[in-house]
Amino acid sequence: MRFEKKYEAIVIGTSAGGLGTLQKILSKLPSDFALPILVVQHRLPAADQFLSIFLNDVCQLAVKEADNKEIIKPPMVYVAPSNYHLLVERTKTISLTVDPKVKYSRPSIDALFETAAEAYLSKLIGIILTGANNDGTAGLKKIKEHGGLTIAQNPQTAEVSIMPMSAIQANVVDKVLSLTEMAPFLNQISDEVKVYERRYHKLNMEHQSKI
Amino acid sequence: MKKLEIEEIEVDLLLEGIYQRYGYDFRHYGRASIKRRLQHHLTKADYGIVSEMIPSVLYDESKFKALLFDISVTVTEMFRDPWFYVGIREKVIPFLKTFPFINVWHAGCATGEEVYSLAIVLKEEGLYDRARIYATDINDSALEKAKSRIYPMSKMKEYSSNYQHAGGKRSLSHYFYAKYDSVIVDADLQENITFANHNLATDNVFGEMHLILCRNVLIYFNRTLQDRVLSIFADSLRYNGFLCLGTKETMHFAKVRDDFVEFLRNERIYQYKGIPH
Ligand SMILES: C[S@@+](CC[C@H](N)C(=O)[O-])C[C@H]1O[C@@H](n2cnc3c(N)ncnc32)[C@H](O)[C@@H]1O
């Protein structure tokens, strides 16, 4: 019997209106959510760790500010520190950099999405939420090219519609979800991954007991 | 083989070629960033694929310089992380004042903004005249810019605000004069500074230091290279000397970690307590 793990990671990008939106989605995920989540939220260069501390307080799932060279593994939400890009290495570790701003932004959503696409290939889900620019559109395109799943928040349910709208108009979005549909969908993905992992584990055990 | 895997081979070959030809070692840098920088240079310099760069870069040194300029990230600013300079001013400088003179090393100084920022603090605290400052980088164009002391006027608002938050005692404009849309840093701030090319990946210790700043440079290196560089710093520092890293860099995993104590945690300032050699 052959079956494949469908998804291994989720990347999320957002800017204006992102804090409340992230809270509404992430607080509905369980503490043992099966995929690592990496988040870029645009904010002021001098911003402190408020974002990750706040989200960690209101979520069951653990949220932390990403560290350089950190190994990415679930259950965890990794937030890009302000004024640093969050890149994913093909070894599934994190690289923080002070590379030039991309489209006036550091952290850049495109930089996270594009590097994650090369690391996770078709096993990546990219999500664009509320925001007031077009960062993330190029990143979603790259995720799609590598066979990953691309999602945009329904602009009508977004505090600021420009960012999801930009992605939808560029034809790089597979699925449009309203704010309230977002968490249930992600939970379903997580459950599928858990089922897969249990079956995989069982197979492994059977295999081991045969030898 | 997938295109992505082939691209990996191309990057390996290019970096190996650069190392053998010019001695610049980018093989142990974070890969994702290097690849993005190469991609950027590729588009800018009108190459089709990474392999196409290899002959140009190997045979034509000017092509290599252009590439080097793009892959060494020289992003910097004046008084970046203002609270760091507060720590230097209030906690480190009183310590340094106990020495008759001090040597300071900015490793990876880029275009010099950090060097002049610290120079201003040293001036204001009355330590500048007893300081010899070495500022090094691998990027010659960046060093030239640093020596020229010319910076865009458009950045000054941000820098002034940083300076105020850094505990600045005057107005930042006190240290500049304006010319068209640029500002020029006062020449006497440069008097005790030597700018030089030094490669942390391949060169060695060059003097005994009381204070080393190496901020936002190690972040690009893998653990092996970080270890090498931190050992060079340990070998350079006097007992009780200081090492300052960027806000996202730590000594946590370093081999020489036990030779240092955390002096100011959030500021990432470490003090050398190793056995004097
Ligand atoms: C991001 S800048 C940091 C500038 C400044 N220290 C700051 O924190 O604002 C990194 C600098 O490190 C330099 N660099 C990279 N690799 C180096 C090496 N092997 N040896 C010396 N400098 C290096 C780059 O050329 C660049 O100017």
Side-chain angles (χ1 to χ4, degrees):
Chain A
M1 180 174 67
R2 282 184 71 233
F3 54 91
E4 243 197 300
K5 187 167 174 175
K6 251 168 88 186
Y7 295 109
E8 284 180 6
I10 298 170
V11 288
I12 299 179
T14 178
S15 78
L19 180 63
T21 308
L22 284 170
Q23 176 189 2
K24 284 189 188 110
I25 297 169
L26 298 178
S27 64
K28 297 202 182 72
L29 311 182
S31 60
D32 63 344
F33 191 79
L35 299 87
I37 301 176
L38 300 121
V39 178
V40 163
Q41 145 97 73
H42 292 161
R43 54 204 204 281
L44 292 176
D48 53 17
Q49 296 205 17
F50 168 78
L51 180 64
S52 53
I53 293 170
F54 168 77
L55 289 174
N56 190 51
D57 279 350
V58 298
C59 295
Q60 290 163 274
L61 181 56
V63 181
K64 77 184 289 284
E65 195 169 277
D67 280 321
N68 199 24
K69 314 282 180 214
E70 187 168 14
I71 296 165
I72 301 168
K73 50 175 194 268
M76 184 59 78
V77 179
Y78 302 90
V79 177
S82 62
N83 217 9
Y84 286 87
H85 289 301
L86 167 50
L87 310 183
V88 178
E89 298 289 345
R90 297 190 66 214
T91 51
K92 320 243 162 99
T93 55
I94 284 170
S95 278
L96 300 179
T97 80
V98 291
D99 289 2
K101 293 182 180 177
V102 181
K103 294 187 188 138
Y104 309 102
S105 299
R106 187 174 50 229
S108 147
I109 300 169
D110 283 340
L112 167 63
F113 284 16
E114 287 167 7
T115 53
E118 293 204 346
Y120 291 102
L121 305 171
S122 65
K123 299 185 176 170
L124 182 68
I125 300 175
I127 304 176
I128 281 294
L129 302 174
T130 167
N133 52 50
N134 68 355
D135 192 8
T137 297
L140 282 188
K141 180 160 180 274
K142 185 76 160 239
I143 294 175
K144 217 172 146 60
E145 277 167 19
H146 285 287
L149 177 68
T150 57
I151 299 175
Q153 182 178 4
N154 182 336
Q156 280 164 357
T157 69
E159 220 166 287
V160 184
S161 61
I162 299 171
M163 212 151 84
M165 196 61 112
S166 155
I168 293 167
Q169 280 169 353
N171 267 325
V172 295
V173 174
D174 297 318
K175 225 173 169 48
V176 176
L177 294 177
S178 72
L179 180 54
T180 48
E181 288 167 329
M182 212 57 92
F185 178 78
L186 295 180
N187 278 325
Q188 189 191 327
I189 299 272
S190 165
D191 289 342
E192 281 169 24
V193 170
K194 282 181 202 160
V195 169
Y196 162 85
E197 273 163 2
R198 273 198 294 274
R199 283 160 72 188
Y200 183 81
H201 186 70
K202 206 169 138 223
L203 265 186
N204 246 349
M205 300 293 270
E206 284 169 13
H207 181 72
Q208 303 241 317
S209 60
K210 269 184 216 142
I211 45 179
Chain B
M1 192 182 260
K2 285 210 175 108
K3 183 163 164 254
L4 208 57
E5 313 298 331
I6 300 173
E7 282 170 5
E8 287 293 315
I9 301 174
E10 293 183 281
V11 174
D12 279 340
L13 291 173
L14 175 67
L15 298 184
E16 184 61 36
I18 288 174
Y19 176 58
Q20 291 195 21
R21 168 74 171 81
Y22 299 102
Y24 283 83
D25 195 350
F26 289 105
R27 298 170 306 171
H28 304 293
Y29 282 47
R31 200 52 181 251
S33 168
I34 280 274
K35 275 187 76 180
R36 286 182 70 81
R37 309 297 303 147
L38 283 175
Q39 205 56 48
H40 170 78
H41 183 71
L42 199 88
T43 318
K44 200 172 98 179
D46 230 359
Y47 294 105
I49 50 173
V50 172
S51 313
E52 267 177 35
M53 283 189 211
I54 298 175
S56 311
V57 163
L58 289 186
Y59 284 98
D60 183 347
E61 188 162 357
S62 69
K63 292 263 167 40
F64 166 66
K65 287 269 144 103
L67 173 67
L68 179 66
F69 185 77
D70 275 348
I71 55 179
S72 57
V73 176
T74 58
V75 174
T76 183
E77 58 187 80
M78 284 201 153
F79 295 98
R80 178 183 192 132
D81 312 323
W83 69 88
F84 163 74
Y85 289 90
V86 174
I88 290 281
R89 196 190 281 275
E90 292 178 357
K91 299 280 165 32
V92 173
I93 287 186
F95 222 105
L96 293 177
K97 277 188 172 162
T98 61
F99 295 104
F101 67 90
I102 59 162
N103 284 332
V104 181
W105 178 14
H106 292 263
C109 66
T111 42
E113 284 85 335
E114 178 192 84
V115 187
Y116 294 116
S117 304
L118 184 72
I120 288 171
V121 176
L122 292 174
K123 266 247 149 81
E124 292 182 353
E125 299 303 321
L127 198 57
Y128 186 85
D129 293 333
R130 282 150 58 192
R132 178 84 243 152
I133 301 161
Y134 301 90
T136 63
D137 203 282
I138 49 167
N139 186 324
D140 284 329
S141 338
L143 288 168
E144 283 310 314
K145 249 194 182 151
K147 276 186 226 170
S148 79
R149 309 193 309 276
I150 303 173
Y151 299 105
M153 178 76 88
S154 56
K155 294 279 177 85
M156 284 305 133
K157 209 175 135 216
E158 184 193 343
Y159 293 173
S160 291
S161 148
N162 282 355
Y163 169 73
Q164 295 305 332
H165 287 108
K169 296 201 163 157
R170 312 166 163 233
S171 132
L172 188 58
S173 58
H174 177 83
Y175 300 98
F176 300 131
Y177 59 97
K179 199 170 178 188
Y180 307 111
D181 48 5
S182 302
V183 296
I184 303 174
V185 175
D186 282 345
D188 54 340
L189 274 179
Q190 202 187 349
E191 231 160 67
N192 297 354
I193 305 174
T194 308
F195 289 102
N197 190 305
H198 179 277
N199 190 335
L200 293 166
T202 46
D203 295 334
N204 268 309
V205 178
F206 65 86
E208 193 185 50
M209 299 295 150
H210 299 75
L211 172 63
I212 298 177
L213 280 80
C214 184
R215 307 181 68 224
N216 302 304
V217 181
L218 295 183
I219 198 173
Y220 287 98
F221 298 174
N222 71 9
R223 293 251 159 90
T224 318
L225 189 49
Q226 286 186 2
D227 256 339
R228 173 184 205 275
V229 175
L230 289 168
S231 299
I232 293 179
F233 293 157
D235 289 343
S236 304
L237 281 170
R238 279 191 62 116
Y239 189 76
N240 275 339
F242 296 93
L243 172 63
C244 311
L245 302 179
T247 48
K248 291 292 157 196
E249 296 159 336
T250 69
M251 300 267 323
H252 235 78
F253 308 99
K255 282 206 186 95
V256 292
R257 153 180 190 192
D258 293 339
D259 290 341
F260 288 87
V261 295
E262 239 171 29
F263 184 76
L264 293 177
R265 189 150 193 269
N266 287 332
E267 292 77 356
R268 295 290 198 274
I269 301 178
Y270 299 86
Q271 190 169 35
Y272 184 63
K273 295 284 184 186
I275 302 152
H277 13 239

